[in-house]
Amino acid sequence: MFLAAEETTTVTTSGFDPFDVFMLAFTVLIFIGFVRLLMHRPRKNWFAIGFAGVSLLLFLVIDAIMIFKIW
């Protein structure tokens, strides 16, 4: 029983997942959209700016956790 437990603990897995690339790409897309919303001159859509800001903040937190804790 101890040998089986010892064998499973020696197996290491990589923290990198291909989905991480999509998360970083979505973060960049949300950032681009957020900047474009802020640069819109005649009349700003405050709801869209708020939604994009909250989404960007959430994705940045998730990316920071993904990079610094999991990788």
Side-chain angles (χ1 to χ4, degrees), residues 12-17 70-71:
T12 58
T13 59
S14 174
F16 182 76
D17 189 20
I70 297 175
W71 284 0

Side-chain angles (χ1 to χ4, degrees), residues 6-33:
E6 185 177 327
E7 213 173 289
T8 58
T9 57
T10 58
V11 176
T12 58
T13 59
S14 174
F16 182 76
D17 189 20
F19 183 70
D20 298 344
V21 177
F22 289 110
M23 287 295 293
L24 293 171
F26 286 140
T27 305
V28 170
L29 286 175
I30 292 172
F31 177 73
I32 291 169

Side-chain angles (χ1 to χ4, degrees), residues 46-62:
W46 294 107
F47 179 76
I49 291 172
F51 189 84
V54 169
S55 299
L56 181 62
L57 182 67
L58 180 70
F59 270 74
L60 286 173
V61 168
I62 291 171

